[in-house]
């Protein structure tokens, strides 16, 4: 119903499924039917996605957004014809950019996995409403998006500090924390969407959750070493 509903993950999924181009049509800016002005959200998302496409070596012209009213059938036809022509010129996805199929698949998978993280880091810009096209040109820069991927953060629970209070386990939105009563908690890095909730939730007196960037995440402690033996029970 609204272009604002189109998520970054939807566009990446289309490319992962082999689409050579993605076109998004939205209502004219400032003519949104909803107070949310969702077409601005769609525009911001497209601008970010185009930078991400550049980052992984895809031609950003494979993704286009245009705004028009439902009465502008001729304009829609012209725009779609033009976009179709452009996509044909670019050739099949990946081949046109000389990226091997497997490499492209793994790059798209990697980016898709980071979508929640990207949306959290870029949430303020994704919600912005700028005044003119020039401002939109610089909303997301290549350097910024490259940095987003090189400085990606991970979260780790320090086994020496975790008190198994289970707060992070209950709050994790991705069920990525392996918990248990009196068990040192462990983050499943494959499931973690890097939202940072566990870092905020872990009580400061424990301070067990660490944010890691630019270095490998320590391996999880073995299952047999996860049980916490409380001092009162040792006696
Ligand atoms: S950052 Fe923490 S709370 Fe967020 S998904 Fe990862 S483990 Fe769960
Ligand atoms: S909130 Fe902190 S202390 Fe509590 S289980 Fe999670 S990591 Fe351990």
């Amino acid at each position: 119903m609204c272009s604002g509903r189109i998520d970054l993950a939807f566009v990446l999924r289309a490319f992962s499924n082999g689409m050579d181009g993605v076109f998004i049509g939205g209502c004219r800016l400032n003519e949104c039917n909803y107070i949310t002005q969702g077409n601005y959200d769609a525009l911001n998302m497209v601008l970010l996605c185009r930078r991400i496409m550049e980052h992984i070596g895809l031609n950003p012209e494979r993704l286009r957004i245009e705004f028009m009213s439902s009465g502008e059938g001729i304009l829609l036809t012209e725009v779609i014809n033009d976009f179709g022509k452009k996509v044909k010129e670019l050739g099949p996805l990946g081949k046109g950019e000389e990226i091997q199929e497997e490499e492209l698949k793994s790059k798209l998978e990697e980016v898709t996995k980071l979508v929640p993280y990207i949306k959290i880091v870029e949430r303020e810009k994704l919600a912005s409403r700028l005044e003119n096209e020039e401002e939109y040109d610089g909303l997301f820069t290549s350097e910024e998006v490259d940095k987003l991927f090189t400085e990606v953060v991970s979260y780790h629970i320090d086994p020496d500090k975790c008190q198994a209070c289970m707060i992070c386990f209950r709050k994790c939105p991705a069920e990525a924390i392996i918990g248990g009563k009196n068990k040192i908690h462990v983050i499943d890095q494959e499931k973690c969407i890097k939202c940072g909730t566990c870092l905020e939730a872990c009580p400061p007196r424990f301070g067990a959750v660490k944010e890691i960037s630019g270095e490998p995440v320590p391996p999880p402690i073995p299952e047999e070493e996860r049980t916490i033996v409380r001092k009162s029970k040792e006696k």
Side-chain angles (χ1 to χ4, degrees):
M1 285 300 291
C2 176
S3 55
R5 172 70 182 94
I6 301 170
D7 195 273
L8 182 56
F10 299 176
V11 179
L12 294 170
R13 194 191 308 156
F15 287 127
S16 297
N17 286 341
M19 297 299 119
D20 297 325
V22 174
F23 177 84
I24 299 167
C27 299
R28 286 180 178 280
L29 292 172
N30 301 319
E31 291 181 13
C32 182
N33 288 307
Y34 306 102
I35 53 166
T36 49
Q37 303 288 337
N39 41 12
Y40 276 98
D41 292 329
L43 173 60
N44 296 343
M45 183 276 293
V46 164
L47 293 172
L48 175 59
C49 192
R50 285 168 66 105
R51 289 288 185 211
I52 291 172
M53 290 169 73
E54 278 175 0
H55 177 82
I56 61 173
L58 286 178
N59 192 317
E61 291 189 75
R62 293 184 184 277
L63 173 61
R64 189 180 294 184
I65 186 164
E66 295 284 351
F67 305 101
M68 59 197 73
S69 86
S70 55
E72 292 177 305
I74 294 172
L75 177 63
L76 175 67
T77 313
E78 285 171 0
V79 165
I80 293 289
N81 283 342
D82 183 63
F83 183 58
K85 200 169 144 228
K86 183 74 210 172
V87 173
K88 273 192 184 147
E89 275 169 26
L90 294 174
L93 186 76
K95 284 208 178 83
E97 290 91 348
E98 299 183 0
I99 309 174
Q100 296 299 317
E101 201 177 320
E102 280 307 305
E103 188 190 349
L104 178 61
K105 189 170 168 259
S106 96
K107 281 180 171 182
L108 284 166
E109 275 174 9
E110 197 54 37
V111 173
T112 302
K113 216 176 127 197
L114 290 175
V115 165
Y117 168 71
I118 294 169
K119 283 166 63 179
I120 288 169
V121 175
E122 297 291 1
R123 62 189 177 279
E124 281 177 21
K125 284 191 180 180
L126 283 169
S128 58
R129 305 281 182 267
L130 302 183
E131 296 296 323
N132 55 56
E133 270 187 40
E134 288 73 42
E135 284 186 58
Y136 270 102
D137 279 347
L139 183 60
F140 299 102
T141 64
S142 307
E143 295 72 29
E144 176 186 357
V145 170
D146 290 347
K147 207 168 149 202
L148 201 62
F149 289 95
T150 50
E151 294 184 4
V152 63
V153 300
S154 297
Y155 294 89
H156 171 70
I157 295 174
D158 184 339
D160 294 330
K161 292 187 175 173
C162 179
Q163 294 303 309
C165 69
M166 298 185 77
I167 295 174
C168 62
F169 172 78
R170 291 195 191 99
K171 292 200 170 180
C172 174
E175 299 185 351
I177 297 178
I178 304 159
K181 202 175 168 207
N182 288 328
K183 292 266 193 180
I184 292 168
H185 287 33
V186 172
I187 295 177
D188 180 339
Q189 299 295 332
E190 285 300 308
K191 285 189 181 173
C192 176
I193 58 169
K194 305 177 190 299
C195 66
T197 303
C198 51
L199 179 69
E200 283 174 27
C202 184
R205 65 183 185 283
F206 302 145
V209 181
K210 301 268 174 281
E211 193 179 73
I212 296 177
S213 175
E215 56 182 281
V217 181
I221 60 163
E223 181 59 34
E224 60 275 16
E225 293 172 26
R226 284 186 53 220
T227 304
I228 298 176
V229 180
R230 310 281 174 193
K231 280 191 180 147
S232 57
K233 290 188 181 167
E234 271 180 336
K235 290 172 191 168

